[in-house]
Amino acid sequence: EAQVTQNPRYLITVTGKKLTVTCSQNMNHEYMSWYRQDPGLGLRQIYYSMNVEVTDKGDVPEGYKVSRKEKRNFPLILESPSPNQTSLYFCASSLVGVDTQYFGPGTRLTVL
Amino acid sequence: AQTVTQSQPEMSVQEAETVTLSCTYDTSESDYYLFWYKQPPSRQMILVIRQEAYKQQNATENRFSVNFQKAAKSFSLKISDSQLGDAAMYFCAYRSFGSGGYNKLIFGAGTRLAVHP
């Protein structure tokens, strides 16, 4: 089954404790992206990757890091989480130049 | 920069009735894509319908149709014969057509739709 998976689905952590949210897709997509969803703001892009070892900032990259060492994986790293990073996070993937993106199930992150 | 505006934070409709969700956008591009996504309580993002800006014909998918007005930069979603399962948050989204395959989606703030029996 074609899908985008994210782990964990729920995470409660404390300020300053490094964490990683994993994202994996099995569709051989070149393009992968991270979004955060906040009430009243919709989804905003954090980082994206056009292919292995090619990443770039989106609209709200502060406080986040990403890496793309393998085509299927695109982890989101919060090295020192803060309460303003409490949000719902989505990973998405697609073929480059194709309009339809596939979304993961979301990760609810709470930073205390 | 492109922006997407959904001016209705909440809407409600009676089961079997029709409802229209509004979306406007701002862009200087001539070619682009527009989307409506549904987010039920499960939080999954589900693509409802898509429209290519170069196509004049409005897209339809079963009970879902759009009214795409390119000159007015308007992209509304009409849900006919509303069902209880249509209750969800709906997001309007914009994507540039070119830029080397740049796939970034720009989302509106969302409209929460309630369906009453």
Side-chain angles (χ1 to χ4, degrees):
Chain A
E1 179 189 356
Q3 61 182 351
V4 179
T5 58
Q6 293 178 227
N7 283 291
R9 296 289 309 279
Y10 300 90
L11 180 60
I12 300 175
T13 190
V14 295
T15 299
K17 187 176 181 182
K18 181 179 179 179
L19 66 92
T20 300
V21 183
T22 64
C23 173
S24 182
Q25 50 91 7
N26 62 1
M27 296 167 280
N28 203 36
H29 287 166
E30 304 97 344
Y31 180 88
M32 298 186 74
S33 178
W34 277 102
Y35 295 88
R36 61 176 288 174
Q37 180 181 343
D38 301 290
L41 297 176
L43 284 78
R44 295 174 293 167
Q45 189 182 59
I46 302 170
Y47 269 95
Y48 68 95
S49 170
M50 297 293 284
N51 213 324
V52 176
E53 302 293 359
V54 180
T55 64
D56 207 348
K57 297 177 180 178
D59 294 324
V60 287
E62 294 77 20
Y64 304 95
K65 286 178 57 176
V66 293
S67 68
R68 187 90 181 272
K69 293 180 171 40
E70 303 168 282
K71 197 171 187 178
R72 64 183 293 126
N73 297 323
F74 190 46
L76 180 69
I77 303 159
L78 286 72
E79 294 209 326
S80 184
S82 63
N84 64 12
Q85 292 178 297
T86 292
S87 187
L88 177 60
Y89 292 86
F90 286 98
C91 180
S93 74
S94 72
L95 294 171
V96 169
V98 173
D99 57 286
T100 302
Q101 292 194 25
Y102 293 79
F103 281 84
T107 295
R108 171 69 70 185
L109 172 65
T110 301
V111 183
L112 302 175
Chain B
Q2 297 86 9
T3 59
V4 177
T5 302
Q6 293 179 249
S7 59
Q8 306 154 317
E10 296 181 345
M11 293 280 286
S12 65
V13 64
Q14 292 294 128
E15 200 174 4
E17 297 294 310
T18 295
V19 64
T20 298
L21 308 184
S22 300
C23 173
T24 59
Y25 58 95
D26 189 27
T27 184
S28 59
E29 299 175 330
S30 57
D31 289 326
Y32 45 87
Y33 296 97
L34 294 165
F35 307 86
W36 279 98
Y37 281 88
K38 172 185 178 181
Q39 187 180 54
S42 67
R43 305 199 308 256
Q44 182 70 43
M45 294 292 287
I46 302 167
L47 178 62
V48 175
I49 200 165
R50 57 187 283 278
Q51 173 83 41
E52 295 95 335
Y54 60 86
K55 290 186 177 179
Q56 292 185 335
Q57 187 174 6
N58 289 326
T60 62
E61 288 287 342
N62 300 313
R63 298 182 294 107
F64 297 86
S65 62
V66 298
N67 183 4
F68 173 49
Q69 301 288 329
K70 190 173 184 179
K73 297 179 183 176
S74 171
F75 183 61
S76 60
L77 174 70
K78 185 171 81 170
I79 306 174
S80 303
D81 186 25
S82 296
Q83 301 175 0
L84 295 177
D86 295 333
M89 179 74 87
Y90 287 83
F91 290 101
C92 179
Y94 171 103
R95 178 190 167 252
S96 295
F97 183 81
S99 302
Y102 185 43
N103 286 29
K104 173 182 171 181
L105 289 171
I106 300 168
F107 287 86
T111 297
R112 184 169 300 282
L113 177 66
V115 181
H116 301 293

